[in-house]
Amino acid sequence: MHVVIIGMGAVGRDVAKVMQAERHDVVVIDNDPDVIDVVNERLDVATVVGHGANPKILQLAGVDQADLVVAATDNDEVNLVAAIASKQLGAGRTIARLHSGEYEDTMSEDEVEKGLHYGMLGIDVVVSPPILVADEMFQIARSHGALDVHLFAENRIELAEVELMENSPVIGIALKDLTLPKQTRVGAVVRGDEIFIPSGKDALASGDRAYLFGRTADMHEIEDLFCHGQEASRVVVYGGNVVGEVLSRRLSRAGVHVTLIAEDRTAAKKLAPGLAQVTVVHGDGTDIARLEEENVGNADLYFAVTDDDENNLMSGLLAKRLGCPRASCLVHRHSYQELYRTLGIDMVISPRQIAADHILQYARPPQVESIVRLGDGDAEVLEVTAAMGSPVTGKPLSKISMPAGVMIGGVLGPEGVHIPDGSSVIEPGDTVVVLALTKQRSYVEKLFQRSLF
Amino acid sequence: MIPANSKRARLSLVRMTARPLGLLLFVLAAFMALCAALGFLALPADGWDIASTQAGAHSMLTSAGITGVVGLIALIASLGVPFKIGRREALFVVSSIWIAMGVFGAIPYIIGAHMSWADAVFEAFSGVTTTGGTILTEIEGRLSAPLHLWRTMTHWIGGIGIVVLFVAMLPSLGVGGKRLFQSEAAGPDSGGLSPRIRDTAKVLWWIYLSFTVLEFFVLRVVGMPWFDAIAHAFSNMATGGFSTKNSSIGEYNSASIEVVMTLFMLVAGTNFALFHSAKTKGLSVFWKSHEFRVYMFLFTGITLVIATDLRFDMYESMGEAIRYAAFQVAAIMTGTGFATADFEEWSTLSRIMLLCLYFCGGMAGSTSGGMKLIRILIIAKAVVHEVRIGFRPALVAPVRVGEHAVAEGVVRATLVYALLFMGTVGLGAIAVACLDPVDITTAFMASLACVANVGPGMGAIGPTENYAFFSDSTKVVLSFCMLLGRLEFFSLLALFVPGFWRR
């Protein structure tokens, strides 16, 4: 596949890195020659120095032949123009990354019904990191103590990441002897730096992080078993930006009491009219007295989502010190992610990684519906449609030889979703959620493609 | 004192290199076996002796066996060593691969032709670096058909670059492949054929292979015997210069063969990327390339000057003068080094013109030798630029070649390259003069012909003479010069900078 990526920020670089490793032909455009030098040094891609919205530059990068164009600069307008121009020049699919809430508003469902959507401009997919982050944080708030939540198969299969505390009743018992709630199962385990798919003989240990599969409706049960969490009923959000706004609105609509702390008065004043059920205050989230005033210690969940990584970290740590059981931070710089966890932040969310994941799913063969990378990208969850005649279909799963490092987490068939066991049979056309170590990807692809014989 | 951890770094570097080296030796062994088989194309009807061919094939197979076994040992030694190619590793791998090619390439000469080790190593390095200077006084009788083929085969392997073949064959090198590729690259302009380096390498090998096959058939059509056509196609497309005949191409005394070979020498000296883009964008890409225009201008211009000069000096007709001049200009300019005339007998003007061509080379991204025309262009423009700055210091303008601005770093690297080229030629000449009692022309030209990968020089090593009379130590020095020239100095010299081994 020929891919053109415009803008070598964190998202663009992440996408380029994964795509070149998957042996796609990648051409990248950036207007900073120094950035291009670094890319040349580290990635096996072709490079063009120039302004990404300039049609000449786009042509030079071969967008007319491109199957996919990703406009991921930090400037929304450049991204829009680049995506539109690429489409005009003959590109296949175009993806534009948009930060601003302004553009997001035209995306709401009512607007689409009125004929306002990006498709009319020739943009196939709009990836908006703030909205994606808000979505993910919302799912976390709704779960019973999960660190991270992903939804698959029309939102009917859920993957929840939980951390095992010392007092968890599942510790030390071999998985085959563990009685899990119906239609749930353990997908993968992160222990230290390593991610692995446990067999029946493996037992979980304190400090492990486990990925659990289940029907979305059944997840609270297994989450309760693993980590005794509670659905948040009182949440404090720190950050008067698009993420804070969208997250507060969604949570308040779901009946959660939300306090939104905006860094300055003007921002707070702008936000307040649109957030009827939310308590909007202004103040510094790194000021412990201010946090005490807002009674952060009594909140179930604390989100620090400002644009400043350090403020988010400090604010999150202060909230935990004040007694808030769980704190989540937004981190813009990839490399901080693990560090924040070590320091005691429960959930660290990187908008760039989420955006990159979202973009990457469009680089897969069409039968792959979505993809989420776990850990540092050592494992991934794929949502795949089983092709007619592919090796995975037609016989019970226990009869299919699967290497260690591949497991099937859920199936969406005509009769609805179920979490398969050894006797389950996958039918062609079923949507299957597969968790696999990244190095097994080619095997997974073969498993779901029609064989030649 | 070397700190302990740097010793460890050195050891792991060496062990890691064992894997590509092992693979290389397998490839070499395969090519040796191929030579043994193809040797039987040397028909008795064309004057070849079947018994000597069989003996030659046998010695080629023995060499292949030795090379293969050593390759296997290297591969076993490399088991379990992680293979990750950074900048340092790429330089080390490429340099050691090339040294190994020269050393193992010498085995057939020692076994099959009973050469001394210095002669064999010189001949092998002259082969892989596509220099084409020989130590053989009597070429036809001394070697059997498979060995003749091996000589030209070493040219062919080294021409586009063995590492390019590796990058094309091995998947999963990723960006490491790019580093390897750049460490072996010919000229400052490389890549850009395809976003992925592996595809670029594949395209290059396809172009190279196609032209070689094409030349083989065309040579056959214009009357060259089967065996000679294969050998010369290998030698020509690699801009090598080894011939199966004592008097090189002059032996055939055929105008049509000379025209064909002149054309293919010019093709081999053209940037291969142009052929690739011509496929989609049409023939205009050639004319749009500034470097190509200079290439053609220099070729025709110097051919005409020399032909006019020779017309009054030696030859009866202008046609005849152009025939010899064009062939020789192409042969020297692209660094091939074939000969149809003894240019030592030409006038001083003509010889000076040829001497300049030793430095020029063909285009970047080709198999040719010399400094490459794009570098000459950049240097010329940089000189003009400096002169302009002299009388208008406020001028802000980049060095331009055609429409394109050349980055300052590239200009600097080019100037350093030129200095290294001149410096190596100078030091090489001094070394030759120290080691052997030769005149100044011979010393200088031996060094230049080797660094520029041309082959025949002037003085005692002119087109009708050879390098046989040099002492063993001179042959080693000149082999090193050839390798420096082929790898364009930086890759090989990095190994001699102390910081390279320190972590």
Side-chain angles (χ1 to χ4, degrees):
Chain A
M1 196 156 94
H2 186 111
V3 186
V4 176
I5 302 170
I6 302 151
M8 281 289 105
V11 174
R13 220 181 282 186
D14 196 23
V15 171
K17 185 176 163 192
V18 173
M19 293 215 182
Q20 60 104 32
E22 289 174 11
R23 319 228 172 114
H24 295 295
D25 287 349
V26 181
V27 183
V28 306
I29 304 176
D30 198 287
N31 57 5
D32 184 346
D34 293 338
V35 169
I36 288 295
D37 278 349
V38 173
V39 170
N40 265 326
E41 183 67 26
R42 298 202 183 143
L43 302 177
D44 185 12
V45 297
T47 52
V48 176
V49 179
H51 193 279
N54 181 344
K56 275 188 206 155
I57 297 289
L58 290 170
Q59 207 149 33
L60 199 63
V63 288
D64 46 331
Q65 324 261 321
D67 303 294
L68 179 67
V69 174
V70 178
T73 69
D74 49 17
N75 184 318
D76 286 357
E77 286 74 18
V78 168
N79 292 346
L80 283 171
V81 174
I84 295 167
S86 305
K87 197 66 162 196
Q88 292 293 326
L89 288 169
R93 225 167 350 183
T94 53
I95 300 180
R97 168 192 178 197
L98 302 179
H99 302 259
S100 162
E102 291 301 326
Y103 293 112
E104 194 55 34
D105 284 341
T106 48
M107 282 287 284
S108 73
E109 274 170 35
D110 332 342
E111 306 286 15
V112 172
E113 274 166 28
K114 288 182 208 150
L116 289 172
H117 55 89
Y118 289 103
M120 72 184 181
L121 297 176
I123 301 169
D124 298 295
V125 183
V126 164
V127 171
S128 176
I131 308 296
L132 294 172
V133 167
D135 274 351
E136 187 151 336
M137 288 184 159
F138 176 74
Q139 298 297 343
I140 291 170
R142 302 295 292 165
S143 76
H144 281 196
L147 299 177
D148 204 351
V149 173
H150 298 283
L151 296 174
F152 301 94
E154 299 166 359
N155 294 349
R156 290 159 78 182
I157 296 175
E158 184 174 317
L159 175 75
E161 180 187 357
V162 295
E163 186 168 5
L164 295 170
M165 297 300 169
E166 276 166 40
N167 55 3
S168 172
V170 295
I171 283 174
I173 306 169
L175 286 181
K176 62 178 184 330
D177 302 326
L178 203 61
T179 327
L180 293 176
K182 234 171 42 164
Q183 295 289 328
T184 57
R185 68 188 293 187
V186 179
V189 176
V190 180
R191 186 171 293 164
D193 289 337
E194 195 201 1
I195 185 163
F196 63 97
I197 294 178
S199 68
K201 279 173 277 174
D202 289 318
L204 296 169
S206 163
D208 282 358
R209 279 183 287 141
Y211 287 97
L212 308 174
F213 274 112
R215 289 201 297 217
T216 308
D218 304 328
M219 285 307 282
H220 286 169
E221 232 179 301
I222 189 169
E223 281 163 7
D224 289 343
L225 178 66
F226 275 71
C227 61
H228 313 283
Q230 279 223 327
E231 194 169 337
S233 64
R234 193 170 169 269
V235 171
V236 178
V237 178
Y238 170 45
N241 51 15
V242 183
V243 183
E245 183 189 356
V246 176
L247 177 61
S248 306
R249 185 182 295 131
R250 293 202 60 183
L251 284 170
S252 67
R253 280 188 188 154
V256 179
H257 295 284
V258 184
T259 305
L260 174 62
I261 308 176
E263 300 94 306
D264 65 293
R265 189 177 277 277
T266 9
K269 273 191 168 166
K270 253 191 228 162
L271 290 173
L275 299 170
Q277 309 297 319
V278 179
T279 316
V280 182
V281 298
H282 88 90
D284 182 358
T286 54
D287 178 0
I288 195 154
R290 196 75 192 77
L291 291 178
E292 263 171 343
E293 277 169 42
E294 297 306 329
N295 205 1
V296 167
N298 272 342
D300 301 313
L301 199 46
Y302 185 80
F303 287 112
V305 296
T306 67
D307 299 326
D308 184 303
D309 282 351
E310 287 76 12
N311 279 355
N312 288 346
L313 171 68
M314 284 312 161
S315 179
L317 291 177
L318 286 175
K320 288 213 74 165
R321 155 152 285 197
L322 287 174
C324 180
R326 292 196 296 153
S328 171
C329 280
L330 205 67
V331 62
H332 297 88
R333 259 167 255 175
H334 249 333
S335 43
Y336 285 2
Q337 221 169 341
E338 212 39 58
L339 197 61
Y340 278 28
R341 277 205 190 100
T342 325
L343 287 171
I345 302 297
D346 302 283
M347 293 148 281
V348 186
I349 291 175
S350 154
R352 288 179 182 168
Q353 190 178 353
I354 293 179
D357 275 354
H358 207 76
I359 291 169
L360 279 173
Q361 74 191 51
Y362 295 97
R364 307 296 150 138
Q367 59 180 37
V368 177
E369 306 259 334
S370 66
I371 179 157
V372 171
R373 284 178 293 167
L374 306 179
D376 292 332
D378 297 330
E380 58 190 12
V381 184
L382 300 146
E383 185 177 337
V384 195
T385 311
M388 181 74 83
S390 58
V392 80
T393 58
K395 49 187 169 183
L397 285 180
S398 54
K399 293 268 166 28
I400 297 166
S401 67
M402 248 184 265
V406 180
M407 69 94 58
I408 292 183
V411 179
L412 170 64
E415 307 97 57
V417 291
H418 67 281
I419 308 301
D421 52 34
S423 62
S424 309
V425 179
I426 291 173
E427 300 297 339
D430 285 359
T431 301
V432 183
V433 181
V434 192
L435 194 160
L437 299 184
T438 309
K439 60 186 178 197
Q440 299 286 6
R441 181 184 300 138
S442 60
Y443 177 82
V444 175
E445 276 169 13
K446 266 185 232 134
L447 204 58
F448 287 90
Q449 273 161 8
R450 190 211 316 244
S451 59
L452 292 168
F453 305 102
Chain B
M1 272 301 288
I2 302 152
N5 63 344
S6 112
K7 257 186 203 157
R8 206 177 311 133
R10 202 184 293 186
L11 191 71
S12 72
L13 201 59
V14 172
R15 277 193 68 192
M16 198 204 76
T17 313
R19 182 172 310 179
L21 274 186
L23 283 173
L24 165 86
L25 295 182
F26 275 139
V27 173
L28 279 190
F31 276 120
M32 286 176 187
L34 184 65
C35 284
L38 286 178
F40 290 96
L41 277 177
L43 304 173
D46 297 322
W48 294 94
D49 176 26
I50 282 288
S52 93
T53 302
Q54 280 168 347
H58 189 257
S59 55
M60 284 310 296
L61 287 177
T62 316
S63 313
I66 296 173
T67 311
V69 167
V70 178
L72 193 64
I73 294 171
L75 274 187
I76 292 171
S78 76
L79 285 179
V81 181
F83 189 64
K84 241 186 125 190
I85 300 173
R87 282 258 163 226
R88 284 169 78 245
E89 286 80 2
L91 293 175
F92 188 71
V93 165
V94 168
S95 300
S96 38
I97 276 181
W98 276 83
I99 292 170
M101 271 210 291
V103 171
F104 284 87
I107 294 178
Y109 301 127
I110 297 176
I111 295 181
H114 309 293
M115 287 187 194
S116 78
W117 66 269
D119 282 354
V121 164
F122 182 92
E123 197 74 1
F125 273 107
S126 176
V128 291
T129 60
T130 72
T131 304
T134 183
I135 48 81
L136 289 171
T137 317
E138 161 62 34
I139 296 173
E140 288 157 39
R142 180 78 188 276
L143 297 181
S144 59
L147 262 97
H148 271 300
L149 212 51
W150 177 241
R151 280 177 90 219
T152 53
M153 181 74 92
T154 52
H155 275 334
W156 197 69
I157 299 169
I160 193 93
I162 188 77
V163 175
V164 178
L165 178 65
F166 268 31
V167 174
M169 284 193 320
L170 300 177
S172 79
L173 280 175
V175 70
K178 193 162 159 180
R179 294 189 180 129
L180 287 176
F181 188 94
Q182 285 166 349
S183 306
E184 193 193 44
D189 172 34
S190 58
L193 284 177
S194 165
R196 288 192 304 137
I197 202 70
R198 189 166 173 229
D199 293 339
T200 302
K202 274 185 192 161
V203 168
L204 287 179
W205 264 87
W206 265 117
I207 294 172
Y208 189 50
L209 187 67
S210 316
F211 272 121
T212 311
V213 172
L214 181 67
E215 181 177 5
F216 164 69
F217 282 114
V218 176
L219 283 178
R220 186 71 199 108
V221 167
V222 295
M224 202 181 263
W226 284 105
F227 182 78
D228 298 22
I230 287 197
H232 284 110
F234 280 156
S235 182
N236 188 341
M237 272 317 292
T239 68
F242 282 153
S243 171
T244 53
K245 299 294 178 194
N246 280 335
S247 47
S248 192
I249 310 302
E251 177 89 9
Y252 301 100
N253 197 16
S254 148
S256 46
I257 287 181
E258 284 165 33
V259 169
V260 167
M261 297 198 79
T262 307
L263 283 177
F264 274 96
M265 282 192 280
L266 290 176
V267 164
T270 305
N271 190 341
F272 282 15
L274 286 182
F275 296 113
H276 181 66
S277 34
K279 224 168 37 181
T280 49
K281 295 183 192 148
L283 291 173
S284 66
V285 293
F286 287 101
W287 203 242
K288 279 187 191 141
S289 157
H290 209 67
E291 194 186 5
F292 185 78
R293 277 185 296 188
V294 171
Y295 182 41
M296 285 298 114
F297 173 77
L298 270 183
F299 171 72
T300 35
I302 295 188
T303 301
L304 285 178
V305 171
I306 294 183
T308 316
D309 181 44
L310 293 180
R311 166 71 186 84
F312 297 110
D313 209 38
M314 298 176 68
Y315 296 113
E316 306 279 292
S317 72
M318 193 62 188
E320 200 183 357
I322 288 183
R323 171 181 160 190
Y324 289 108
F327 186 91
Q328 219 52 60
V329 167
I332 299 297
M333 190 175 186
T334 62
T336 313
F338 284 137
T340 51
D342 185 1
F343 54 79
E344 288 264 50
E345 289 168 11
W346 293 2
S347 72
T348 309
L349 173 65
S350 297
R351 279 193 292 153
I352 289 280
M353 293 303 242
L354 284 184
L355 176 63
C356 294
L357 290 177
Y358 273 82
F359 290 95
C360 288
M363 293 174 74
S366 71
T367 63
S368 67
M371 287 171 61
K372 311 284 180 297
L373 289 167
I374 188 73
R375 288 209 179 91
I376 306 278
L377 263 172
I378 292 175
I379 293 168
K381 300 281 178 154
V383 168
V384 173
H385 182 254
E386 281 305 305
V387 171
R388 284 175 72 197
I389 292 275
F391 60 79
R392 186 176 288 166
L395 183 71
V396 179
V399 174
R400 278 179 199 279
V401 172
E403 304 262 287
H404 299 285
V406 184
E408 270 179 47
V410 175
V411 174
R412 190 175 56 238
T414 308
L415 290 170
V416 172
Y417 172 90
L419 277 178
L420 278 171
F421 191 96
M422 304 296 178
T424 312
V425 170
L427 286 175
I430 293 173
V432 171
C434 284
L435 298 165
D436 275 298
V438 288
D439 63 272
I440 189 161
T441 314
T442 309
F444 177 75
M445 288 310 292
S447 179
L448 176 58
C450 286
V451 173
N453 296 152
V454 176
M458 294 176 192
I461 45 161
T464 56
E465 287 114 337
N466 56 61
Y467 290 79
F469 67 89
F470 281 119
S471 62
D472 283 359
S473 35
T474 305
K475 284 170 187 160
V476 173
V477 167
L478 289 178
S479 301
F480 189 64
C481 284
M482 292 188 253
L483 197 57
L484 274 173
R486 174 59 181 84
L487 294 183
E488 308 204 320
F489 309 102
F490 293 103
S491 306
L492 203 53
L493 286 180
L495 269 54
F496 296 92
V497 175
F500 181 86
W501 298 102
R502 245 177 264 137
R503 260 277 145 110

